[in-house]
């Protein structure tokens, strides 16, 4: 039985699913984020793969012939992809490994293999990839260093704090963000946010709770919040159109696949902002916002690679009808210990 190990690894969580060549979902587990550098990322993926094998009633050794489709945040540049591939291959836990940015999983979720498509992930970070006529392209998505915005949700959260602080000290216009930031972060003043960040009592990652606040206030017409959301929407449209032009002369029939937490908003606020900020976008692209999880895209990429006959509908349905099992920290720690023991023995054997 051919097996595909599908991996969607991000900053906050990592999903690992095990499927057979027919597209049947055998198991699906979720653990901590894996955007930790090549070695740590490979360790997290391997631990979760072991958990997935256990849940499927398989011995971890039975993964030796599996193909691992690893779609990972942090795989932005060729050197990063190569380093992650080397680290994952060194685990010797599966038969073959492919590594790509997690945006490719999103694109595959919303577009068939041969379709001309652009994918934009708008979650904590911001990433754009595209493919057509056998060619692929992606913007680095590193932040200001590569001409990109410094994230999507991360950017909105930081800018919300900045705008609220400027309202509080009089340098900026009044905005509902000032009160909302204080309430959401349980502080008495916006200045306290900076103090708690400096004291490491609060992390920038925890500021993500402000993103829905920004969207809500923008929907209510708060001018400052509207400006923040519109600015991000313009950038998403710019990315999509610029990636599209990379394939000039541009053929017709393109799909724009949108994903990440901002586009999975059940109220569709970011999608509405995008359409308002970029008139005509619906004429340039067929816009798709998949409701299947990104790991389903990783599964489809893996099944494509092993030339399985499973249909996308079969895979989507399998994931929509299932929920991942959350792995507890103690389980991850136990599997990490088990993972290290054989490595030490192998190293001693080589030395001898």
């Amino acid at each position: 039985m051919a097996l595909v190990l599908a991996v969607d690894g991000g900053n906050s969580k990592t999903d690992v699913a095990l499927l057979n060549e027919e597209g049947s979902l055998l198991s699906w587990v979720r653990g901590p984020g894996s955007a930790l550098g090549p070695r740590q990322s490979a360790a997290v993926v391997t631990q979760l793969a072991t958990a997935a094998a256990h849940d499927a009633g398989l011995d971890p050794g039975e993964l030796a012939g599996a193909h691992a489709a690893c779609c990972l945040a942090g795989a932005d540049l060729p050197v990063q992809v190569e380093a992650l591939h080397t680290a994952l291959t060194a685990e010797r836990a599966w038969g073959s490994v492919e590594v790509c940015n997690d945006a490719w999983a999103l694109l595959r979720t919303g577009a068939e293999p041969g379709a001309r498509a652009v994918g934009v992930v708008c979650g904590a970070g911001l990433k754009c990839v595209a493919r057509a006529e056998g060619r692929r392209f992606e913007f680095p998505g590193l932040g200001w260093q590569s001409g990109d915005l410094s994230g999507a949700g991360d950017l909105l959260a930081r800018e919300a704090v900045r705008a609220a602080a400027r309202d509080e000290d009089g340098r900026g216009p009044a905005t509902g963000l000032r009160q909302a930031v204080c309430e959401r972060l349980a502080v008495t003043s916006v200045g306290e946010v900076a103090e708690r960040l400096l004291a490491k009592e609060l992390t920038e990652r925890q500021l993500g709770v402000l993103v829905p606040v920004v969207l809500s206030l923008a929907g209510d017409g708060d001018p400052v919040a509207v400006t923040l959301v519109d600015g991000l929407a313009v950038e998403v449209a710019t990315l999509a159109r610029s990636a599209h032009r990379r394939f000039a002369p541009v053929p017709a029939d393109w799909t724009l696949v949108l994903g990440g937490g901002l586009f999975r908003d059940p109220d569709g606020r970011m999608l509405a902002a995008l359409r308002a900020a970029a008139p005509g976008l619906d004429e340039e692209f067929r816009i798709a916002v998949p409701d299947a999880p990104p790991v389903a895209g990783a599964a489809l990429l893996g099944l494509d690679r092993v030339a399985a006959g499973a249909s996308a509908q079969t895979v989507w349905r399998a994931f929509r009808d299932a929920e991942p099992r959350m792995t507890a920290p103690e389980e991850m720690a136990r599997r990490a210990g088990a993972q290290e023991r054989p490595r030490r023995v192998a190293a001693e054997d080589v030395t001898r």
Side-chain angles (χ1 to χ4, degrees):
M1 176 177 64
L3 296 173
V4 167
L5 190 77
V7 181
D8 173 54
N11 291 298
S12 60
K13 64 176 176 61
T14 301
D15 279 7
V16 173
L18 193 59
L19 301 93
N20 63 20
E21 71 273 20
E22 296 175 351
S24 296
L25 181 61
L26 306 179
S27 62
W28 178 13
V29 297
R30 177 170 293 171
S34 53
L36 305 167
R39 289 183 63 186
Q40 286 180 281
S41 179
V44 170
V45 170
T46 302
Q47 291 154 26
L48 289 171
T50 302
H54 177 271
D55 287 5
L58 302 174
D59 184 273
E62 294 182 70
L63 297 181
H67 174 69
C70 302
C71 302
L72 306 170
D76 295 302
L77 302 176
V79 65
Q80 294 172 310
V81 172
E82 181 59 32
L84 285 162
H85 186 274
T86 298
L88 286 160
T89 302
E91 296 291 333
R92 299 191 301 276
W94 26 73
S96 56
V97 180
E98 63 177 304
V99 177
C100 62
N101 187 271
D102 54 345
W104 291 105
L106 168 72
L107 187 145
R108 180 62 183 90
T109 305
E112 289 297 321
R116 305 178 186 103
V118 176
V120 181
V121 176
C122 207
L126 182 64
K127 180 73 176 182
C128 176
V129 301
R131 64 159 194 234
E133 316 304 327
R135 293 186 292 136
R136 288 161 52 119
F137 170 77
E138 60 185 271
F139 288 104
L142 301 177
W144 61 268
Q145 305 96 318
S146 55
D148 300 287
L149 294 184
S150 297
D154 285 352
L155 176 72
L156 288 182
R158 287 193 300 268
E159 288 300 303
V161 173
R162 187 181 73 85
R166 293 175 73 85
D167 174 7
E168 187 170 84
D169 65 19
R171 285 179 294 168
T175 170
L177 288 168
R178 176 180 174 183
Q179 178 180 346
V181 165
C182 291
E183 290 178 352
R184 197 70 183 86
L185 297 178
V187 294
T188 57
S189 69
V190 183
E192 189 181 335
V193 176
E195 294 172 6
R196 292 183 63 190
L197 285 166
L198 285 171
K200 301 190 185 309
E201 298 170 356
L202 183 68
T203 67
E204 284 199 42
R205 181 65 60 194
Q206 290 173 295
L207 298 181
V209 297
L210 299 176
V211 175
V213 170
V214 178
L215 292 175
S216 180
L217 285 170
D220 292 340
D222 182 277
V224 175
V226 168
T227 298
L228 297 182
V229 174
D230 283 356
L232 179 58
V234 167
E235 179 66 6
V236 170
T238 299
L239 285 168
R241 286 168 165 164
S242 298
H244 189 195
R245 287 196 297 270
R246 286 276 179 160
F247 296 87
V250 181
D253 302 322
W254 279 73
T255 298
L256 173 58
V257 187
L258 302 170
L262 284 163
F263 283 114
R264 287 198 301 270
D265 170 29
D267 296 324
R269 292 169 292 190
M270 193 66 217
L271 183 58
L274 175 62
R275 285 187 160 122
L281 197 65
D282 281 290
E283 299 171 12
E284 300 168 52
F285 299 94
R286 179 185 70 83
I287 296 179
V289 184
D291 59 0
V295 70
L300 288 168
L301 288 173
L303 291 164
D304 292 342
R305 183 61 67 93
V306 300
S311 69
Q313 289 76 14
T314 297
V315 174
W316 293 336
R317 189 162 48 249
F319 280 98
R320 286 172 185 153
D321 293 341
E323 291 289 338
R325 180 178 70 81
M326 308 300 293
T327 56
E330 53 269 24
E331 178 185 354
M332 294 294 289
R334 185 176 70 253
R335 295 193 187 283
Q339 191 177 330
E340 286 299 320
R341 284 193 292 275
R343 277 189 190 172
R344 286 195 291 269
V345 172
E348 290 166 3
D349 288 343
V350 170
T351 303
R352 293 187 193 127

